[in-house]
């Protein structure tokens, strides 16, 4: 596996790949890789000739400085994991390489409407500005044919699709299913910061969301039920449960083609998010 830390190096490698007529699949990550990330790499390997994974802990999408500082960084392990997965190239730039002259010069302003203001947008002000900034910068550097994102970050996937539509990027965005621990907890780099007990308790978030698949009252009542279930658990500090239309991310209704139950909660100082599709089921 080739490792590039500069844009110039990456350009050279990818020019050669494109000159050979090969398609490029791209998997952007923040590292501390787990099986969820590897499932994205596997999808990319299936659908493209040459797979690039980026590892960059993007400071501009963290609205909480201590979350940024405490974010797990495991560069050497990650490189081995990617090598074993068959990834072709790792792009691991520094902050200066990503944002020469400062990140302000790379801000982009697009109107994402409610997609960026509900749920994560409401609870993490500025988060999606940072996501759009870094993903756009990575897309301009990498110019992939396909880019792979996890449904685990359901709202992020919606935001990225809308960004690509607005900015007219020509790549295809491919959403990949959430990979879970045996206890149902969605895999996340942040899980590494949970104790054994916290890891077990965290599984309640997914199990409550999954229970909604068996319920048949109104979406409002389902939301209320899920909130009740999670609020009584003292270790879990619930931020929200929302049952939304999968396209607009507004409250789901009878006409919603896809319906997704989304939740965010704090546990042992770690912020966890998850979502489960209720319709189609
Ligand atoms: P991150 O490193 O957390 O920024 O995630 C990088 C990519 O991996 C994003 O597209 C995430 O949605 C995706 N991802 C993270 N966790 C999972 C998971 N458990 N299953 C599938 N994809 C995931």
């Amino acid at each position: 596996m080739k490792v590039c830390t500069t844009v110039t190096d990456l350009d050279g490698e990818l020019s050669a790949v494109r000159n050979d007529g090969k398609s490029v699949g791209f998997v952007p990550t923040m590292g501390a890789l787990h099986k969820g990330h590897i499932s994205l790499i596997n999808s990319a390997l299936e659908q493209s000739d040459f797979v690039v994974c980026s590892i960059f802990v993007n400071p501009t999408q963290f609205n909480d400085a201590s979350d940024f500082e405490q974010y797990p960084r495991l560069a050497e392990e990650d490189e081995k994991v990617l090598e074993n997965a068959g990834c072709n190239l790792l792009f691991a730039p520094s902050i200066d390489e990503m944002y020469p002259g400062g990140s302000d010069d790379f801000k982009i302003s697009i109107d994402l409407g409610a997609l960026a203001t509900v749920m994560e947008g409401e609870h993490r002000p500025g988060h999606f500005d940072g996501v759009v900034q870094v993903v756009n910068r990575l897309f301009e550097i990498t110019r992939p044919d396909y880019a792979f994102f996890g449904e685990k970050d359901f709202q992020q996937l919606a935001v990225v699709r809308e960004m690509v539509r607005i900015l007219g990027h020509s790549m295809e965005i491919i959403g990949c299913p959430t990979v879970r621990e045996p206890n149902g907890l969605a895999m996340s780099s942040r899980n590494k910061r949970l104790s054994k007990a916290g890891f077990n308790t965290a599984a309640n978030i997914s199990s409550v969301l999954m229970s909604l698949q068996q319920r048949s009252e109104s979406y409002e009542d389902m939301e209320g039920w899920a909130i009740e279930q999670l609020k009584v658990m003292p270790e879990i500090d619930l931020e929200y449960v929302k049952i939304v239309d999968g396209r607009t991310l507004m409250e789901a209704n009878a006409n919603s083609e896809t319906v997704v139950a989304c939740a965010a909660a704090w546990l042992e100082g770690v912020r966890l998010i998850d979502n489960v599709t209720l319709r189609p089921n």
Side-chain angles (χ1 to χ4, degrees):
M1 182 180 68
K2 187 85 196 164
V3 180
C4 297
T5 56
T6 67
V7 174
T8 312
D9 259 10
L10 181 73
D11 261 350
E13 294 296 329
L14 291 184
S15 297
V17 169
R18 285 195 198 91
N19 286 341
D20 284 350
K22 291 182 176 164
S23 61
V24 174
F26 179 45
V27 180
T29 81
M30 298 203 298
L33 301 177
H34 50 69
K35 287 182 191 154
H37 295 115
I38 299 311
S39 75
L40 267 55
I41 299 284
N42 289 337
S43 297
L45 285 165
E46 273 167 30
Q47 297 190 50
S48 33
D49 302 318
F50 190 89
V51 174
V52 178
C53 176
S54 65
I55 296 183
F56 178 64
V57 185
N58 174 39
T60 70
Q61 73 189 69
F62 286 80
N63 54 322
D64 174 348
S66 90
D67 189 25
F68 175 65
E69 276 151 30
Q70 291 183 59
Y71 200 87
R73 290 164 172 86
L74 302 164
E76 279 173 31
E77 270 178 68
D78 283 348
E79 197 175 319
K80 283 188 205 128
V81 168
L82 287 175
E83 178 102 54
N84 288 338
C87 179
N88 301 107
L89 190 151
L90 164 61
F91 179 51
S94 65
I95 294 177
D96 282 347
E97 188 67 22
M98 278 295 282
Y99 302 127
S103 63
D104 282 357
D105 292 348
F106 295 86
K107 275 192 178 150
I108 58 166
S109 167
I110 51 173
D111 184 5
L112 295 160
L115 293 185
T117 56
V118 299
M119 298 193 288
E120 293 302 282
E122 184 184 339
H123 290 271
R124 300 183 70 187
H127 170 63
F128 287 119
D129 293 338
V131 168
V132 160
Q133 179 185 41
V134 74
V135 173
N136 183 58
R137 171 87 175 122
L138 286 167
F139 281 177
E140 281 178 348
I141 294 170
T142 316
R143 286 176 288 120
D145 299 285
Y146 310 100
F148 298 81
F149 289 82
E151 289 169 359
K152 150 88 172 33
D153 298 282
F154 181 73
Q155 190 171 2
Q156 170 173 278
L157 177 57
V159 161
V160 169
R161 285 193 199 281
E162 183 65 356
M163 178 196 93
V164 164
R165 192 189 67 77
I166 293 172
L167 297 180
H169 284 299
S170 61
M171 81 258 330
E172 187 180 337
I173 302 297
I174 296 166
C176 304
T178 302
V179 177
R180 297 181 178 280
E181 300 286 353
N183 70 0
L185 173 64
M187 288 193 181
S188 163
S189 305
R190 289 186 170 88
N191 295 353
K192 291 187 168 63
R193 290 174 46 209
L194 294 172
S195 70
K196 184 97 199 332
F199 181 86
N200 293 333
T201 307
N204 286 297
I205 301 168
S206 56
S207 69
V208 167
L209 292 180
M210 283 176 198
S211 303
L212 292 174
Q213 291 173 320
Q214 318 305 327
R215 300 185 72 88
S216 53
E217 65 264 50
S218 70
Y219 291 133
E220 198 184 342
D221 288 351
M222 282 163 80
E223 222 173 77
W225 177 84
I227 291 168
E228 249 171 52
Q229 303 302 303
L230 291 168
K231 280 264 180 195
V232 293
M233 296 178 192
E235 306 90 343
I236 293 180
D237 184 7
L238 186 67
E239 266 189 2
Y240 65 80
V241 175
K242 295 273 180 211
I243 299 183
V244 298
D245 180 298
R247 197 176 52 81
T248 63
L249 305 193
M250 304 305 283
E251 261 174 43
N253 60 53
N255 297 323
S256 302
E257 266 173 42
T258 56
V259 174
V260 184
C262 303
W266 289 86
L267 195 111
E268 298 181 336
V270 181
R271 190 171 183 279
L272 302 171
I273 59 169
D274 199 354
N275 69 85
V276 164
T277 300
L278 306 184
R279 198 199 288 170
N281 59 10

